[in-house]
Amino acid sequence: MEYFKKILRFAKPYKLFAILNIISNILYALFSTLAMISLFPMLSVLFDNTKAVYKKPVWRGLSDAKDYIMQYLNFFVTERSQQDGAGDVLMLMVALIIVMFFMKNIFNYLAMYFITYLRNGVLKDLRNELYNKTVELPISYYSEKRKGDTIARITSDVLEIQHSFLSILELIVREPLTIIFTIVFMLSISPKLTLFVFLFLPLSGFLISLIGKSLKRKSDKVQKEQGHFLSILEETLGGLRVIKAFNAESRFGRTFQASTKRFYNFSNSLLNRQNLASPTSEFFGIAAIGVILWYGGQMVLVEKTLEPELFITYMTLSYQILTPAKAISKASYSVKKGNAAAERVMEILETENPIVDKPDALIKDTFDSGVDLQDISFKYEDEYVLKNFNLKVPKGETVALVGQSGSGKSTIANLVTRFYDVNEGKISIDGHNIKDISKKSLRGLLGLVTQDSILFNDTVANNISLGKENASKEEIIEAAKIANAHDFIAELPNGYDTNIGDSGNKLSGGQKQRLSIARAVLKNPPIMILDEATSALDTESERLVQDALEKMMRNRTSIVIAHRLSTIQNANTIVVLQKGEIVEQGSHDELIAKDGAYKKLVQMQSLG
Ligand SMILES: Nc1ncnc2c1ncn2[C@@H]1O[C@H](COP(=O)(O)OP(=O)(O)O)[C@@H](O)[C@H]1O
Ligand SMILES: [Mg+2]
């Protein structure tokens, strides 16, 4: 239960509902027992078996409660049937039963009513916290994890936990109380007979717990498979174009079917196990009842130590004990499942974010002198991608990084934005190590335009204003103009209010790129990082985007990662990378004159 306990803190704000639920459940347990007991007077009248009592009994304290109640009942029935006749008394007794059942169900509903707020509140808060954590965790977390797995945890695991909150309260309050109340009444009817029930209850309890044991493992497997299955779905939707173009439908279909088949097998064995609990407990229950029937029947028929109507009431009571006993076995299973789900959820919530702000992190909102990468080394996994790397980007200058793919250019962008932390060395802005600057203010200083423009299913205007929430319409248009995007936006059916579809799929590559540039322009950060912002474009849109980029880079400090060398000829410094090391550095003219790696790259491209 350790994980479930950790989740309990989410129930704290809803404590009041838990208390109201407990109170309702206490009353429910009481009335459901009384409802059974109320059969007795009805039966007694029906069988015409009440002993005539003409004198009102006197209350002699709790120890005589049972006698008092019996006496009083007999007195009441005797008096009433003399006045109104037996038929009317019977009706009264039936009414009593109905009232008791009514009360029982009212409190049943109230108990559920209150717990609903707790359950759904926990669901809401847990999902919110998970979402926040999902956003907070570093990029590196997701290169190892499947996205579908995270989605499964936020959706179905959280639901599982929500479900088990109902069960836990049933488990610790409602059903035990019902059992206790019932047992108290059973004892008061016949202690001897009750001894029998005690002999059988623990036995069937033990057998049922055996079934519950293997359930956790099975439910774990089912949930994992669910995550896998969502991952495949997620990838399929993301790559639908490629899947269709490469006729890979059947290949993805096979992977998907393999997953659903595993899910089928796991959940079959899980459900069958689960379904075993109820019939087993019912059967053991009825076996126990059989023994009581035989033994109690003897008491009624042979020994004549028990009234028949008391015996029938007793039997319904002992049958009633079975319902909560069954419910307990079911609830304990559900709590076990909840615990497994809580484990998976806590795993995300307890993942330490390695990239956190220091407690006294610097809030830096100005940029004065430059960005400095000193002696940095970095590896994603085992192999160093950058080793003892040095680079200075003075304020107001443009530094271009060129080199073959895989040489570590994007890695530098990842490190300056602190998506990853360097292993050795340090990156500083104006002499402050970026690890000392708050992440929020660091990223406030940076603008990022990546190769694949990342756009959201929202309007043009909202996509542009992502980095500046309260930007005015004029500012957005101004930014779009600088990014050479205004003209095409104006032609869209709803202009700036046009929805651009999932990931901006209603736009062309060049248009998407210009939207993400407009976004960076509007944010207006002092340092700009462009990672192959023009690589995916045709010549026409490249000219437009290039023009947009140049306008944006004016009076700004920029790190430009370029695939097309024609785009960076005006950079102050061009750095040529090879396998994470600088092989050449200088202006375009200097490097051409040097006749080295850069010139070779330029020649290769102009040939192409
Ligand atoms: N998330 C990652 N996990 C592991 N290795 C990575 C990751 N991202 C990039 N790499 C590796 O780091 C090296 C440099 O990649 P990158 O900086 O993206 O190159 P590029 O110069 O093409 O932008 C490559 O060898 C690549 O395989
Ligand atoms: Mg790259």
Side-chain angles (χ1 to χ4, degrees), residues 143 380-381 385 404-412 420 531-532:
S143 47
Y380 288 102
E381 277 152 10
V385 175
Q404 283 158 334
S405 66
S407 57
K409 305 182 297 291
S410 299
T411 304
I412 292 171
Y420 294 81
D531 189 353
E532 307 200 3

Side-chain angles (χ1 to χ4, degrees), residues 479-551:
K481 279 185 178 159
I482 296 176
N484 281 336
H486 178 71
D487 290 343
F488 89 81
I489 296 172
E491 281 171 23
L492 292 172
N494 293 317
Y496 282 82
D497 297 323
T498 312
N499 185 298
I500 58 169
D502 218 31
S503 340
N505 273 338
K506 291 191 203 163
L507 302 176
S508 80
Q511 290 171 333
K512 283 197 258 185
Q513 201 87 63
R514 279 177 277 163
L515 274 198
S516 38
I517 292 171
R519 177 153 77 198
V521 170
L522 180 66
K523 185 183 176 191
N524 194 20
I527 304 166
M528 198 59 89
I529 299 172
L530 307 174
D531 189 353
E532 307 200 3
T534 60
S535 58
L537 306 179
D538 53 82
T539 335
E540 166 63 13
S541 41
E542 189 187 336
R543 199 185 49 72
L544 285 171
V545 171
Q546 183 61 30
D547 184 48
L549 287 175
E550 268 165 25
K551 275 195 254 172

Side-chain angles (χ1 to χ4, degrees), residues 402-454:
V402 300
Q404 283 158 334
S405 66
S407 57
K409 305 182 297 291
S410 299
T411 304
I412 292 171
N414 281 338
L415 293 174
V416 174
T417 46
R418 220 175 158 215
F419 292 153
Y420 294 81
D421 266 339
V422 292
N423 296 102
E424 282 159 49
K426 71 172 185 183
I427 299 177
S428 45
I429 293 182
D430 297 346
H432 298 287
N433 191 331
I434 58 171
K435 288 184 182 175
D436 299 331
I437 304 175
S438 85
K439 274 188 289 180
K440 198 171 155 85
S441 71
L442 167 71
R443 288 172 191 161
L445 294 174
L446 302 170
L448 179 67
V449 181
T450 52
Q451 179 175 6
D452 29 48
S453 2
I454 295 165

